[in-house]
Structures are given as C-alpha cells and as structure tokens.
Amino acid sequence: MVAFSARESEPGSGLFRIGYSLMTPQSTSPDADASWTDFQELTFPQRIATAGRAVVAVDFGEEIPVADAPFQIVSDGDYLYVFRQSKDAGVYVDRFVLDEATGRLYNAWQVRFRRSGKADIPLDRRDTFGSTDMNGEKFVEPTIQLDFLPPVVNGSFAVALVPGELPSMSRWQFFLHNRDTGGLVGYSILRSANGLFDLADRIGEDGVIEPDQDFTLVSGSGAPLPVGHGPAALLYHQQEQLAQDGGAIALQKREARFMLAVTAGSGGQVAIVDLGVAKDATLAQGPDELTVAAAPKPVTALEISASCPVHADLPPVQINGPYTLELWAALTSAGTGLEPGIIVSSAPETGPLTIALVDGVPVYTAGADAAVTAADPIDLEVWTHLAATWDGTNAVLYVNGVPHDEPTDPVAPADPPAKGYRLGGKSSVTARIEQLRLWQRARTREEILAAMCTTVTSADPDWANLNGYWPMDAPAADARFTTVPNISRLSGADGTLSGTRWVPGSTLAASSLAPRSWDDRGLTIATGLLEFTTLAAAPWLTEGADSLVHLYGVAPPDGTMVAAHLSTVVARGAFQASWLAADPDDAENDEAGTVGFVARQTGAAVNPATSKNPPVTIAQDGKGHVAVTLRGSTGYTERWPKVPQELEALCQVLNGEAAQKGDVPAQEARSRPIYDYKAVVVTPAGGQLGPVPAPGTGSSLFAAIPDEGSSNGRPSLVTPTSAAPAVLGRAGTDPCWLPAPPPAGLDLSESGQFVEVLDEQQVGDYDGSLAADRDMAVEAWLRPGSDPSGDPMTVLVFNQPEGARYLLGIDGERRPYAVNGPIAARVDTPLTDGAWQHLAASYQSSFGIRLGGERYLDAGNDRSLDTPEALTAEVWVRLDEPPRPGQSQTAIARWAPRGGQSWDLGVDPDGKVRFSVQQSTATGPVRRSVVSRTALTPGTWHHLAGVYDVQFERQVAVMFTAGS
C-alpha cells in the first residue's frame, strides 16, 4: 500500500511537494505506524510532451512548475499514475513504478535511440534503441500534458480507469467541473497499448476532441444545483447474494457502475451521479440536465437473534376481531433447527398469533385449530414480505403477496409475552425486521400488494384502521436503547427493546439511487442528493472490502471529518410463472414447475404495486404459442407475439438465443428456435428507450430462467397467467446509505457504569457468535471524556473461563490496547479527549488455502522439492463436507511422470486418510500405500502426516484429532 500526500518542502515556505509513504508487509512492533516508511518526495521529469504527440518533447532543464492544487492517483497494477494541475490550468500526468526491493517509487523509463536521445530520429546509422543513453543514464519518460481537457481550477477534476468486457480494452474516464455551466463535463479516452492515451477514436474532423458527457444538475423541484466542490470518481461493482453448492449464500460482484460525487447548491450537500458501464468501457449517455432528487435518509432495521434470547415487545394495540399483520424480514438463519424459529408471537389474551418458520417454511398460527403454511422455504439473506390476515374464520398467509391457506399444525411460542406482541425471544430466527404494521381488519391481496413497497401516511384511506406501525427507524438520543417507535394514529404504542439491536436497513420503499435516464443500450444514470451530508470541500470515494462504498469529507464549520457509507448489496426482483407437463393417458404422471423472470435492472422499482398491471403476463396465442407481455417500472412495455409455449424454447426466445426468422439457414436453426424479433412491439415510457429486442439481446426487462423441466417424456408447456398468475418470488432491493458514525452512543461517563449483555452464568453456557475463539475483529466508535483519575477504561470484554477471552480497552494514559487470550497489543499514540475516534482490533489465528474440489496450488518445479529417498509430508486439513462417492481428495502430492519418486497424501471416498508412495527401481515402479483406520470428521481440523523411509518399510500414517 502506498499513501500519497503533499507537504511543505520547508516549514512556512508555502511550497508543497508531492510524496509518499509505503506500508511494508513486515512489522516488528505492535505500533501500527511501525510498518510505514518515512515520507519521501517524488522526483518529476524535466521534459514534457503532449498526449498523442509524445515523440516530440520539450526539455525544461528544471522541474516543470505546477499549481498548488489537489492531485489524483491511479494504479493499473503496473504503474502508478500521478495527475497534477499545471500552472496554466491544464492537467499533467507522470508514471512511476514501485521497486519492491528498495521500497521506492521511480520514474517510468522509455526506449529511445541511445545516441540522439530521441524516440523517432537516430543520430546516425550506428544509433540503436535502448533504455539508457551512451553514459548509462536511464531515459525517463517525460511528463504528458493532456491538452484536450478544458481548463481546471483548484484541482477540480477526477480520473479513473474503466475496464471493458475484453481484458485488452479499457478507457480513461475524466470528469471536470465546467465553470461555464456550473455542471460536469466528461471525456472517455481509449487506453493505448503502452498504458497511455489513444486519441484516434475521439479526434473529430476539425482536430478537436469533444466531450462524451456535458450536463448540469437540478433539484427535484427543478431548481439549479451548481457544482461547488469536486468531483470525486469511483468505479465499483454492485453485489448480489447468490446460492452456492450446498445452499451457502455468498456475495458476488455483478454490475459495474461509475459513481461521481460533488457538493451542489448553496448548502454544500453531496450530489451523487451513478452511471452504468458498457461492454466497451464507455459510460451511460443521458440528458443535458439531470434531476437529483433527495435520497431517502439512512434507515435502520431491528435485528432479532437465534443465538441470544433477546426480543422486542410491542403493546396490545389489537385485542379481538379481524386483523392483518405484515412485515419485511431478511433472514440470516431460520432458527436453531431443533424447533420452529419464531419471528413474531402474541400473548394469549391478545390472540394466539404466531408467525414462525418450520424447516424454513413460513407458518402462520391464528388459533388452536387455525394454522396455515406456505409451500416452500424462503430464501436467506434476501428481503421477504410476510402478511398474515384473519377475518374471524379464515387464516391466510401472504409471502411476497402470494396467498397460502394450506392447513397445518399450529406453532406455539416457547416464551410468549405477558401482553401484546413479541419479536424474537427463545427459539427465535436470526433476521432483520422492517415496516411492521398491524391493521384492525383483514386486508385484501390487492391492498397488500399496493402498500408493501411504500410507506403509509395519514393520507392513506385506510389510516384509521392502522393501529400499530413500527417502521423500525431507530429513535434519536438515549431512546434508541430502549424504544421501538410507533407512528400510527394511536399514541402510547411504542415498543420496548430487550437486548435486540438496531442495524442498517434497506430502503424498500424508496430508492437511494433512483434511475433518471436510460440510453438506447439499456444503461442507466441514477442520482441522489444526500441532504444528511454537508461538506466544505471536495468529497472522496473508495470501495471497501466490506461491500460498502465509503464517502469521506470535511464538514463545515469546524472541519470535522464525516463519512457516509453506501451498501452495494442489491437484489433483482424475480417473478415466477408456472409450466405443466400433462400426460393425457395418466393424470398422476403430470409434472409441474416454474419459470423465473429475473429483472435486468436491480432495485425495488420492479416490485409490483398492484396486480392489475403485473410485470409478466402470458396469454394463449394459438396452438403451441403464447403472447408474453413484459412491463417495466417506468411503464416501458414489450409485447412478444407467437412465442413458443414449450419451456426451453420460450426462454431461448426471450433471452435472445433464437435465430431471426428468415436470416438463418435451415441447418443452423435445428439447434435453436426461429423467431421474428421484428414482430415484438415496444412501448417506450418514462425515458426508458431500450434496447429493442433482437437476437443476442433479448428482452431489456427480464431474463427467463427455466427450472429442470419435465422428466415424464411430455413437453413442459408454460401456463397462461390467467390460470396461474406470475408471482413475486424475490423482492428487488436497491443500494442504500447507512448511518455512520452513530448519531447517539452509550453515556458511560460515570465511574462504574457498564452494560451487561450476558451475566456470569450465561457466559459459561454460551456458544453463540460472541464466543470467538479463533479469527475475530472488534471495533467501536469512542469519544473519551476527561478523566483526571487516570484509571484504565474497558470498552468491551468477553471472559469465558474455558473458552474465548478477549478485551478492548484504554489504559491510564489514554492508549488503546487489545487482548486475546495470552496475546496483547497496544498503540503508543493516546486518544484525544472529546473527539469521536474509531478503534478496531483484529486477531488472526491461522491462515489456510480454501479449495473447492477442483482448484489446486501448483508449487512449481523447484528441484529442492525432489524427494528421492525418505520423506515426511504433513498438513492441516479441514473437510467442509464428506467426500463424494467414488471421489478421492488430495491434500498434498508430488508427481514425477519421468521417473523418480511420486507421492500423495489425501482422503479416500470413505473419508479415511491414505498415504501412497511410488518409487522407481531397477525392475520398474513400486507403489506402496497405507490407510488410516478411522475417517476424518467434516468441519474439524486434523493434522495429517505421512512418513516414508528409504528401506521401504511399512510406516503408519498418523492422524492427530482435536484434543488427543
């Protein structure tokens, strides 16, 4: 890691020099600063050339003067590019390379004619190319002047490298403050083979390079928002939850986006412009005027946990009669697995209301003989809407607006509240809860769909029936530690926290980055005005490894450092239609399934508002064909006539995998269906333009994903939605801004104050996530007060006599320290009284390589690894799952295909350890193997050692298990 800054060359001189400090991978001191080198000034070239005409350079004879203004750093993995503002408001760029041996940055070199010192003209016939002149001096690459950019004032420009679909293609993207219009202007320049600038595809006939972007910003009301400071730029990726083999959920980087941040308007609020990235590395095109409406404020959710008996109690706002209870939940686990996982329950006097998960399937209990179940388990780590209605006779459970009334056994909570309602408690699920509402009547499916993705206000015609509304927005000040605010018409209906906590939520009812325009490639430009963040200088953006985009800046009037964080985790709305493989001879042989319609655009906008204009409509269109109508959130519509009704063919057509009718020879059409994409009727709306359906493109709204299809030998025919409506299978969610640093904290200024999460007895029996006895990290925001006593302060302590033991604290001299078991570390720099500071302590117990069954690490062909005679091979191994039948797993091995000794230490299909050695002898290869008597236990670390000696005697493969 290299950190750059500008420092005065001499104190008081006012002359600043750009330099750097390098973080080395080794450190001999627990002091965090011990791994950073001293500040070193960069040395810049004395020659200058112009982009596109680099063969002609001017020698200044001294370092080229530049403006005292902010600078930009970009790395491509090979070079570090330093972009500076020139004295005449231009932009210079210089390249440096890191010498890891010396820990220094050096100017990039050039190849020139060694005698003439020029890149294009030799001195004579004897002149040859080289990286040094005849005296052995390196040819330093000149400073490059980017004269195609307009004038820059006070360093108000941003630059980034944007990769394309092909590894060999990338583009330089520049954005500058347009002082004439008060907006932003952007230039996209192809990156040349040598890493610099290829202007050939941008120079017009008049020799001028025109900008790709030139726009101004206006507020939601249409008022101008002139740019103040910035821009800052960042290329990042939105991330989505994807199911892995075995059901595990993992984040995967998907859509690339390009974010700009500026201060805008007289208030200095931060405006965000977020652009889609095309396959050729260009950015989304938009109008000359972009609307930047206020983004929703950061929201919270209430977390209930299966690992601790925590809960939140709500008052008995509904006693008897019909009702509807609805909420959004994002589950991390469905419970302990031994009994139903409780989401919400009620006191007996309130009515036996319980919503729980049984083997992951939602179950709603409305009485001793009134319980209904959904059909399938709900997905983890995605937001799901649950609504339970009771009309006095019938119970109905809605999952994402889909009704379920299949009777099942009732579920009774382990610890119902004495009165009112309870979220969590014993046998709870682990989940985030938002938008909990309790209506005093049974609402219809249409009403549930209409309100599930919106907030409810007093303007709602059904407001008088909303007895309880807990949106789960954390209150301010000390109330955040005790209170669940209710905002319905009833006063005194706040809930009470008992160990549950507020966590970042998701803006399910509004978009943090609302799409404002679409280009003809389907790329979007989204915007948002952060009214909760005001800055006095240019913001700074960075993408973290924590799935967040971090925005930092300096707030007026005292220059306090502030931060805002955007969660890049999103979800695409997915709808499910049905198919049927009917057997006319035997109805019991019929098979049915679903086809998914996954939105191309991420976010909550695709979630349905009503069922009158559903996103997916399928109607019969002649024998063997259907008409498919797809609707977007803007009103943009695609009507696909005469689509094959067979499942696989329908998906191929909608995904652009069919051949265009009349354009493909008959022999090619045998492997894929033929469809007339020109017959698709597109109705643009809301600024959305396309792209128009075509081969290789398909629908711009949805991708069609089939399941496995039928196995009964009958065709799988997609069912018209008049008989089986398409239902929301997964809700779409947007990136959302998170509240940080905390707006309120615990006041522990009095000596002896503390908060006890688990008492001494509970700690001894506790086996939840806090019992971190291996890799872990502890972090906290602190604002120490003045303490003349000089006593040490404990921030967090976990002390399990026979298990995990760790502590984060501050010693008597205000120096932070951390302890994990026998390991301790301390920072020598004391904290500052009265200021918010962030502490983080991490402990890593071991390192390993994770292998997925096919990947491997090749140690190379180093002769030092040859083992011609005796050997001992040992390794620590943890199987994540039992070996598959018939498949052995190798832990460590050596192959010698041309003779010599080969050996393999691994696990057989039955889970037993095997050690095999093949030795070349005069009479041919001899192979010997030994196998352990017991199998390895998945999920447990085992030490394996295989021993072989030159006398060819049988040895034992020893397995050391934990605790023996």
Side-chain angles (χ1 to χ4, degrees), residues 22-173:
L22 179 70
M23 189 178 73
T24 59
Q26 295 87 20
S27 176
T28 58
S29 168
D31 181 1
D33 290 335
S35 58
W36 287 93
T37 62
D38 293 335
F39 179 82
Q40 302 176 71
E41 291 185 2
L42 286 174
T43 300
F44 290 94
Q46 298 179 6
R47 302 174 79 245
I48 188 169
T50 303
R53 300 183 293 275
V55 294
V56 180
V58 177
D59 195 339
F60 264 64
E62 60 182 5
E63 193 166 296
I64 304 166
V66 295
D68 181 14
F71 59 94
Q72 303 282 328
I73 304 293
V74 175
S75 172
D76 66 357
D78 295 320
Y79 294 97
L80 284 163
Y81 296 76
V82 180
F83 293 84
R84 304 174 291 160
Q85 180 181 324
S86 68
K87 282 287 189 180
D88 58 357
V91 176
Y92 293 158
V93 61
D94 296 275
R95 295 199 294 184
F96 296 85
V97 293
L98 174 64
D99 186 334
E100 295 185 7
T102 62
R104 296 184 63 89
L105 293 178
Y106 294 95
N107 301 91
W109 301 333
Q110 264 191 333
V111 174
R112 306 178 198 162
F113 284 103
R114 298 189 65 199
R115 294 175 180 270
S116 69
K118 298 180 180 180
D120 58 335
I121 303 176
L123 180 65
D124 51 34
R125 292 183 178 180
R126 296 175 299 168
D127 212 348
T128 59
F129 276 113
S131 60
T132 63
D133 63 15
M134 299 304 293
N135 297 319
E137 295 293 330
K138 292 289 186 182
F139 287 132
V140 174
E141 186 175 82
T143 294
I144 303 296
Q145 180 182 18
L146 307 181
D147 64 345
F148 56 85
L149 296 177
V152 175
V153 179
N154 196 29
S156 55
F157 71 96
V159 58
L161 266 176
V162 180
E165 185 178 44
L166 300 176
S168 59
M169 173 179 286
S170 59
R171 304 188 76 89
W172 289 102
Q173 185 65 56

Side-chain angles (χ1 to χ4, degrees), residues 198-210:
D198 184 352
L199 307 180
D201 69 336
R202 284 298 180 220
I203 296 180
E205 295 181 357
D206 56 358
V208 176
I209 296 178
E210 297 292 339

Side-chain angles (χ1 to χ4, degrees), residues 382-395:
V382 297
W383 286 97
T384 302
H385 187 266
L386 300 174
T389 66
W390 172 251
D391 63 4
T393 304
N394 301 306

Side-chain angles (χ1 to χ4, degrees), residues 169-307:
M169 173 179 286
S170 59
R171 304 188 76 89
W172 289 102
Q173 185 65 56
F174 296 89
F175 272 95
L176 302 91
H177 183 184
N178 189 331
R179 299 286 171 172
D180 295 331
T181 65
L184 293 171
V185 59
Y187 292 81
S188 179
I189 305 298
L190 188 65
R191 186 166 179 248
S192 60
N194 66 353
L196 292 173
F197 310 95
D198 184 352
L199 307 180
D201 69 336
R202 284 298 180 220
I203 296 180
E205 295 181 357
D206 56 358
V208 176
I209 296 178
E210 297 292 339
D212 299 84
Q213 311 273 353
D214 193 355
F215 55 84
T216 57
L217 307 178
V218 297
S219 68
S221 63
L225 288 175
V227 171
H229 301 287
L234 174 70
L235 178 76
Y236 74 100
H237 288 80
Q238 292 183 347
Q239 301 186 56
E240 299 180 42
Q241 303 274 6
L242 295 178
Q244 307 293 303
D245 293 340
I249 303 296
L251 284 174
Q252 186 177 63
K253 290 186 175 182
R254 298 294 298 274
E255 182 181 352
R257 306 287 297 182
F258 191 90
M259 179 180 290
L260 294 169
V262 298
T263 64
S266 58
Q269 296 165 333
V270 176
I272 301 294
V273 179
D274 194 65
L275 303 100
V277 179
K279 294 180 180 180
D280 63 356
T282 58
L283 303 184
Q285 299 295 304
D288 296 338
E289 188 176 88
L290 277 177
T291 299
V292 186
K297 68 181 183 66
V299 298
T300 59
L302 189 68
E303 184 182 67
I304 56 179
S305 175
S307 61

Side-chain angles (χ1 to χ4, degrees), residues 53 109 200 508 550 608 662 742 777 825 855 857:
R53 300 183 293 275
W109 301 333
L508 295 159
H550 303 273
R855 297 178 295 174
L857 175 65

Side-chain angles (χ1 to χ4, degrees), residues 769-776 800 803-806 820 843 845:
S769 58
L770 294 178
D773 57 354
R774 296 187 67 83
D775 297 352
M776 64 172 298
Q800 202 169 41
R805 303 174 67 193
Y806 53 87
N820 189 309
Y843 176 80
S845 58

Side-chain angles (χ1 to χ4, degrees), residues 394-581:
N394 301 306
V396 181
L397 174 64
Y398 295 86
V399 180
N400 288 333
V402 181
H404 300 275
D405 57 4
E406 178 71 22
T408 189
D409 295 331
V411 173
D415 63 337
K419 59 181 181 179
Y421 306 88
R422 173 166 292 176
L423 290 167
K426 291 183 179 179
S427 302
S428 169
V429 299
T430 298
R432 292 167 286 159
I433 306 294
E434 280 191 28
Q435 295 292 322
L436 175 61
R437 305 167 189 169
L438 185 58
W439 307 79
Q440 63 176 6
R441 71 178 186 85
R443 287 165 66 84
T444 65
R445 176 174 184 253
E446 193 68 23
E447 291 172 322
I448 291 171
L449 286 171
M452 61 189 277
C453 292
T454 64
T455 54
V456 181
T457 67
S458 58
D460 190 286
D462 208 19
W463 178 257
N465 290 312
L466 184 59
N467 284 5
Y469 186 8
W470 300 272
M472 301 307 170
D473 287 335
D478 293 344
R480 67 182 285 112
F481 304 109
T482 59
T483 306
V484 184
N486 169 66
I487 61 172
S488 72
R489 62 184 180 85
L490 299 181
S491 60
D494 290 345
T496 303
L497 296 176
S498 295
T500 46
R501 64 172 183 163
W502 301 109
V503 296
S506 179
T507 51
L508 295 159
S511 176
S512 290
L513 289 173
R516 295 296 176 185
S517 74
W518 289 257
D519 66 13
D520 56 5
R521 298 172 294 179
L523 299 176
T524 63
I525 301 179
T527 65
L529 185 66
L530 309 188
E531 294 183 332
F532 51 85
T533 302
T534 300
L535 300 181
W540 182 60
L541 294 169
T542 182
E543 183 180 19
D546 51 3
S547 304
L548 300 177
V549 167
H550 303 273
L551 183 149
Y552 298 101
V554 176
D558 55 358
T560 303
M561 193 76 175
V562 296
H565 310 291
L566 179 76
S567 171
T568 62
V569 179
V570 298
R572 300 171 189 267
F575 299 85
Q576 295 177 344
S578 303
W579 60 261
L580 177 66

